[in-house]
Amino acid sequence: MHRKLVAANWKMHGSNALTATLLGTLAAQPPACEVAVFPPFPYLAQAVHLARGAVGIGAQDLSAHAQGAYTGEVSGAMLHEIGARWVLVGHSERRQYHHENDALIAAKLQRAMECGLTPVLCVGETLDERERGITESVIATQMQAPLHLLGERFAGVVMAYEPVWAIGTGRTASAVQAQAVHAFMRSQLAAHDAKLSRLIRLLYGGSVKAANAPELFAQPDIDGGLVGGASLLAEEFLAICAAAH
Ligand code: PEP
């Protein structure tokens, strides 16, 4: 059984004051589970300083390039240098609004690992895809390029299943729906390499709250959560972490 991990994706929310409040609370009351917090870029250094090692800090994206003339991009080496140890890769909002495809996402994963960052690879289907009954083939396709490119190194990746229809909508996948997709993801990993399916932590994300976290985290193939909106509320987030034991 894996140690549970709860990740906080602040998206494009926050301020110096909110960073101080949320990281101050987490550093003062460190949860029993592992926690990784993903603030926007400008607050990363402050978050690393305030976390005092009690929780991990990560970025919401990184460049696929090592360095160079890529205006607006942030490299994995820069993130590592300022103390970030995690990075989200392939969040559905990056896929949707920044047109990130599976090949680019695989390249970002590879770059993250070269730079000593643990990537959280996000996958998930849209409502239309779920209604058309193609959830499993969508997830399998999203996993294919990263698995192929990284091979055994994929063991260093954390995955998050985030049904797009459940992100920020208040509509959570039921524990049964989430467990079914997580079990499918594990079977895909096992088909690639039996070791991978045992090693990799699979998080669920999509309107996780203190009220639904216990049932979701009790599922056999759910190793924690990726939390958006509710991670901006200190008490709510601590309650979600408390459900991850
Ligand atoms: C997310 O941003 O990854 C997410 C799951 O958001 P929310 O919890 O708000 O649905």
Side-chain angles (χ1 to χ4, degrees):
M1 180 129 144
H2 302 110
R3 185 174 179 217
K4 287 225 175 0
L5 167 66
V6 179
N9 175 17
W10 292 5
K11 311 193 191 210
M12 201 172 73
H13 297 289
S15 60
N16 287 135
L18 191 74
T19 305
T21 302
L22 294 178
L23 269 306
T25 305
L26 286 168
Q29 306 170 55
C33 66
E34 188 172 6
V35 174
V37 179
F38 297 81
F41 289 124
Y43 305 119
L44 282 172
Q46 183 195 5
V48 168
H49 175 71
L50 291 169
R52 299 200 299 264
V55 301
I57 301 298
Q60 296 172 18
D61 184 34
L62 84 166
S63 174
H65 302 285
Q67 63 173 343
Y70 302 105
T71 302
E73 295 261 73
V74 175
S75 76
M78 293 169 186
L79 296 170
H80 191 272
E81 186 178 31
I82 64 152
R85 292 293 177 265
W86 295 83
V87 65
L88 297 180
V89 177
H91 191 280
S92 64
E93 288 152 15
R94 302 279 330 161
R95 293 176 190 263
Q96 188 180 351
Y97 304 131
H98 302 273
H99 312 294
E100 294 198 4
N101 61 28
D102 293 325
L104 175 65
I105 288 163
K108 288 188 174 195
L109 279 180
Q110 186 172 39
R111 185 67 67 195
M113 297 187 71
E114 281 169 12
C115 295
L117 302 171
T118 300
V120 179
L121 168 63
C122 305
V123 298
E125 82 287 3
T126 62
L127 185 57
D128 174 61
E129 290 163 342
R130 174 160 283 265
E131 286 174 349
R132 282 162 49 214
I134 58 168
T135 296
E136 291 191 354
S137 71
V138 168
I139 305 287
T141 303
Q142 291 173 341
M143 291 174 71
Q144 203 171 4
L147 274 167
H148 190 256
L149 186 68
L150 292 180
E152 283 194 344
R153 287 171 303 155
F154 198 88
V157 173
V158 170
M159 289 194 69
Y161 167 55
E162 298 209 301
V164 178
W165 47 272
I167 298 180
T169 58
R171 193 178 158 182
T172 320
S174 69
V176 171
Q177 285 173 319
Q179 166 56 29
V181 178
H182 281 233
F184 172 74
M185 287 161 67
R186 248 191 242 294
S187 74
Q188 289 296 108
L189 293 169
H192 197 80
D193 177 347
K195 261 198 326 280
L196 286 181
S197 86
R198 287 194 301 275
L199 288 173
I200 291 191
R201 285 188 286 187
L202 304 178
L203 312 183
Y204 168 76
S207 299
V208 174
K209 300 180 192 62
N212 57 29
E215 196 188 357
L216 286 162
F217 295 168
Q219 302 306 308
D221 288 302
I222 298 185
D223 304 311
L226 175 52
V227 185
S231 72
L232 297 164
L233 308 165
E235 292 309 318
E236 181 80 5
F237 186 65
L238 281 177
I240 293 170
C241 293
H245 46 72

